[in-house]
């Protein structure tokens, strides 16, 4: 056996181990946290409590990290959601049955005060994608087709302390 094919075999074996690591994720996570009690990496959406619970632990020594092991932050949140069958980010296409106007813009639901929108005109794919950034303060108008997009804020927590 040449050293090259041995290396390939080793890599394959490591990948298999990495896969097994995912299956024992919960157990391994518990062991990891026993040694380092400073934060607990969330193993499910229910356990997510702040950004420090969204830090991937990385791979076990001598293995290739899986997506689940190395994903951190929003990427990890999205991955945890996917594992539980939840689509975290709204990737549904926007209404492209008409061109938005200043008087009657295309409404874009957003949990944040801005959102990136890819416009391809009406009907969809009429022009190359044009990235726009409507904010709660300002609508965005496509340079290609002139369609107007307006943020429709949803689910933003209301501050009840200003009376
Ligand atoms: Zn457009």
């Amino acid at each position: 056996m040449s050293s090259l094919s041995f290396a390939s075999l080793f890599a394959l074996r490591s990948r298999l181990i990495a896969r097994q690591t995912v299956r024992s994720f919960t157990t391994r996570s518990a062991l990891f946290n026993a040694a380092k009690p400073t934060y607990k990496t969330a193993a499910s959406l229910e356990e997510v409590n702040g950004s420090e619970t969204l830090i991937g632990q990385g791979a076990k020594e001598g293995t290739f990290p899986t997506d689940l092991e190395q994903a951190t932050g929003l990427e990890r949140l999205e991955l945890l959601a996917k594992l539980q069958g939840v689509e975290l980010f709204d990737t549904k296409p926007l209404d492209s049955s008409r061109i938005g106007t200043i008087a009657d813009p295309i409404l874009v639901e957003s949990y944040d005060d801005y959102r990136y929108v890819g416009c391809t005109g009406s009907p969809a794919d009429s022009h190359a994608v044009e990235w726009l950034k409507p904010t709660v303060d300002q609508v965005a108008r496509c340079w290609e087709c002139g369609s107007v997009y307006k943020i429709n804020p949803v689910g933003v927590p209301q501050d009840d302390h200003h009376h």
Side-chain angles (χ1 to χ4, degrees), residues 99 118-122 127-128 130 132 141-147 149:
I99 294 286
C119 181
T120 62
S122 176
H127 64 70
E130 192 74 43
L132 311 164
R141 186 160 210 178
C142 179
W143 288 96
E144 285 285 339
C145 66
S147 190
Y149 294 86

